[in-house]
Amino acid sequence: MAILEVRDLTVRFGETLVLDSVSFDVHEGEIFVVLGPSGCGKTTLMRAMLGLVEQTTGSVRYEGVDILTATDREKERLLARLGVLFQSGALLRSMTLGENVALPLHESTRLARESIQDVARLKLSMVGLDRSFDTMPAQLSGGMQKRGGLARAMALDPQILFFDEPSAGLDPLTSVELDEMICGLNRTLGTTMIVVTHELHSIYTIAQRAIMLDGGEKGIIAEGRPEELRDRSDDPRVRAFFRRERLDEARGSAGGG
């Protein structure tokens, strides 16, 4: 069942066309990955799905409601059901980790202060940071900041979690641990997850289904499971990405059978 439907999504920055007539569905409960090389429009697509990009046409429907044409009140209601983990974690440096996680609850619920703190502690325990409630972000490692950002993104029990390059800036071991946490939370909570990344190790670990964008095409050039795209695609751009080859080498390999 599709929880998100994107149809003919086109994005421009001034006169520059970035995405052209992009269409796809995201199924409820899956980990859906948007992949492709740097500069192909992955993060722009994510921001467009969140209704954060101007000069956008087409539709982005969450359970039938188009976020691009929704009223301010409808958009506010929709965004409350979406959580986002940004590349940097985006924690507010002037607040403790617990205060960061509690902030969406203060802004969007009528829970008592004590209840909000209980929920914030629960979310931090889910990402292994239950002992860091009173810690300032500057005292946390990069990986811990990412996990703290994830706890905050989960504060309102979103239906869909968005991740923008979650492995960016992390060492290989920490990146693997974060990938495993994403998969574990998906299994435990059943939350739909949309992940933007170009990191192959993460793609193979977490992706249940993926689309690949191409900057020249301004849209989707492949869709499916990563292993299928790697092993069965006849498109040299797809082969080059998954095999970490130069495009001319991938074309030669394809031509040689």
Side-chain angles (χ1 to χ4, degrees):
M1 177 180 177
I3 192 171
L4 167 64
E5 299 173 326
V6 177
R7 295 291 180 270
D8 299 320
L9 185 68
T10 298
V11 178
R12 295 180 180 274
F13 292 138
E15 297 300 317
T16 302
L17 179 65
V18 180
L19 296 171
D20 186 17
S21 298
V22 172
S23 298
F24 60 91
D25 291 339
V26 177
H27 302 151
E28 187 171 1
E30 74 174 339
I31 302 179
F32 182 87
V33 171
V34 180
L35 59 89
S38 297
C40 68
K42 301 186 300 295
T43 296
T44 297
L45 175 58
M46 188 191 85
R47 289 176 58 81
M49 284 189 281
L50 293 167
L52 301 177
V53 180
E54 297 181 356
Q55 286 192 273
T56 302
T57 59
S59 64
V60 179
R61 295 185 177 275
Y62 295 94
E63 297 185 340
V65 180
D66 185 2
I67 196 170
L68 302 183
T69 59
T71 65
D72 289 344
R73 187 169 183 174
E74 286 175 327
K75 183 176 288 190
E76 182 179 351
R77 181 180 62 82
L78 284 174
L79 290 176
R81 295 157 64 184
L82 310 176
V84 185
L85 175 60
F86 298 97
Q87 283 191 33
S88 63
L91 297 173
L92 298 175
R93 300 283 174 171
S94 60
M95 293 182 171
T96 66
L97 184 57
E99 289 170 338
N100 267 278
V101 178
L103 184 59
L105 295 159
H106 282 296
E107 292 179 337
S108 301
T109 75
R110 297 182 179 179
L111 292 173
R113 182 178 181 84
E114 183 176 333
S115 297
I116 286 176
Q117 291 216 338
D118 289 343
V119 173
R121 290 184 186 279
L122 173 63
K123 300 304 179 181
L124 285 171
S125 71
M126 294 171 68
V127 297
L129 291 176
D130 44 311
R131 297 183 180 181
S132 301
F133 187 88
D134 295 315
T135 304
M136 301 301 291
Q139 298 174 284
L140 302 171
S141 68
M144 294 172 75
Q145 290 185 30
K146 287 286 181 79
R147 285 188 279 148
L150 176 55
R152 186 180 61 185
M154 295 191 301
L156 297 176
D157 297 323
Q159 289 184 308
I160 304 177
L161 270 171
F162 288 82
F163 299 79
D164 185 15
E165 299 283 3
S167 299
L170 301 181
D171 63 79
L173 179 58
T174 304
S175 178
V176 168
E177 291 173 347
L178 183 59
D179 288 341
E180 292 174 349
M181 180 170 292
I182 290 171
C183 291
L185 290 170
N186 174 258
R187 288 193 300 269
T188 302
L189 303 176
T191 306
T192 305
M193 297 178 173
I194 300 175
V195 184
V196 168
T197 185
H198 67 276
E199 298 287 349
L200 278 180
H201 64 82
S202 292
I203 292 167
Y204 289 131
T205 300
I206 66 177
Q208 298 171 5
R209 196 164 56 90
I211 56 173
M212 180 173 172
L213 301 182
D214 178 73
E217 196 77 23
K218 312 295 184 187
I220 299 170
I221 60 171
E223 180 175 350
R225 294 184 60 83
E227 296 80 4
E228 295 172 348
L229 301 182
R230 177 194 63 201
D231 298 336
R232 301 179 186 176
S233 178
D234 293 327
D235 191 318
R237 296 166 295 183
V238 178
R239 294 167 65 94
F241 178 85
F242 279 99
R243 301 185 184 190
R244 287 297 189 254
E245 299 174 336
R246 295 198 310 269
L247 188 55
D248 56 349
E249 291 176 344
R251 283 181 172 135
S253 175

